[in-house]
Amino acid sequence: MLQRLFFRLERFGGLSEQEKHALQEAVARTRLVNAGEDLSGVHEYHCNLVVEGLACDYMLLPDGRRQITNLHVPGDFCDLDLLLLSASDRSISALTPVKIAIIPHHKLLDLAERHPRILLALWRDTLIDAAISRECIANIGRRNAFARIAHLLCELYIRLQSVGLVRDGAFELPLTQTDIGDATGLSVVHVNRTLQRMRADGLITWVGHQVTVRDQKRLEAAGEFRATYLNLRVDPGHGSGDRLARRFVVYPT
Amino acid sequence: MLQRLFFRLERFGGLSEQEKHALQEAVARTRLVNAGEDLSGVHEYHCNLVVEGLACDYMLLPDGRRQITNLHVPGDFCDLDLLLLSASDRSISALTPVKIAIIPHHKLLDLAERHPRILLALWRDTLIDAAISRECIANIGRRNAFARIAHLLCELYIRLQSVGLVRDGAFELPLTQTDIGDATGLSVVHVNRTLQRMRADGLITWVGHQVTVRDQKRLEAAGEFRATYLNLRVDPGHGSGDRLARRFVVYPT
DNA sequence: CGAAATTTTGAGTTCACTCAAGGATGGTGG
DNA sequence: CCACCATCCTTGAGTGAACTCAAAATTTCG
């Protein structure tokens, strides 16, 4: 059930078998959400974790325009923030049929108390989401359409790769061009024309829901993409995260 | 030293005297950073907290363009994420002369172990930053220049108010129009023209570094601003944050 | 097979950008 | 205390990237 999550977490040390087991046990049940449906209502006292499919955070503006603020691939928590915040500023919706693992807040709280490393993994996950958001701000604020879309595709490539969903440079991406537009702050029409150029340039192919990155280097250059912000590689030299985690292991509560 | 922080934290329950004291004690020293200078280098093994002045997170694009991804007002932590993440994707710079409280990571780690409620307050703070980022994405991605700037000013108004830095609808805002542009994804020229319109419309006055909100209602309407995402009001009905905190008090580690 | 959703094309428009230069402001040193 | 320099604000003019509206072509799916 949580393999994708665990697989991703391996990248920075991972969890012990015991911790994994505890997390697995915390899953109360699973749920299927149809494409286009909101997850709302569910997340009163539960966290939702994507097991299969693609979901997104979005905000609706008064005039009906939509802005997608993040995508959730398998292994991602959707709404960890509701564990600590009372006000939700966005909605979460399924872009494809999505299988969700539902973890009650109280169980996650138990885990956090008994397994500090799990608490840290959760916090860390929310911090990476924040880094993704920052990158998105720079993307939308300062790049043109071509670069924005290139950047988005690069990010998805790495994120999907980190959960084992890329094969030979290709991955399933069941997004409509409207979705791409809502995620990059562009109109559908412009997304369409830009994607045509991107395909013509030989950077990608996009057939059905199958996207293939034909020239990752040039795509990354076009999107000014550097994967570091995703924190998907272990970099033992910097930061105190490992130290913090180690402490919590040495002195378990 | 940390009054602004504590003042802001009061809004959702605050910290005990003991906890406040412990946080105060964790401050190793303070530092003055000149306007325009980066805080970088400092934050290898320290967290920086703004005591006075205005700082910002920013990212520099290859061609030299800048995108400001967040502002830090007094009482804000600048780089809590570095406690857990190894890769830093942005820089932090002082927009005005800034007084910084430096808190070594290891001391913050001690605190987190001994005072779970402090750990939660820190996590919560990073979650609110994430909410601010999301709102910023929607702002830049889907709103026009007028609304973007209005929204930014509304946000700053509330954030500064939450740390007691607004008086009679007026606050110090030592941002240049270039800064506003970098924060909203606009060019200086366009910021200038938009601000002129905003002043002519009677929404604000901006003299020197003093901004006065003349008509908050209309400004908020123009920016489609709703303050909930800032989580600055206690809303006991929703969420599990309080429960989590309570637990950690009932069963201290 | 037909309806609905999605992609694509065309044409005209606009919001925001760039370039360039002229004022204003404020800090600093002689 | 004033002159000077740097930064910032402001204005004008021309341009362009992305938008809107509208409709046709294509794909998807029940």
Side-chain angles (χ1 to χ4, degrees), chain A residues 176-177 192-193 196 199:
Chain A
T176 66
Q177 295 184 359
N192 181 277
R193 291 181 170 127
Q196 285 181 49
R199 286 178 303 211

Side-chain angles (χ1 to χ4, degrees), chain B residues 108-144:
Chain B
L108 222 40
L109 306 186
D110 284 341
L111 282 181
E113 285 180 67
R114 285 188 287 111
H115 302 278
R117 274 166 48 97
I118 291 184
L119 187 153
L120 293 178
L122 299 178
W123 186 2
R124 192 174 191 279
D125 236 39
T126 64
L127 290 172
I128 292 176
D129 277 345
I132 291 173
S133 294
R134 275 196 296 274
E135 193 71 30
C136 183
I137 291 172
N139 199 37
I140 295 181
R142 288 301 186 202
R143 297 201 180 102
N144 64 23

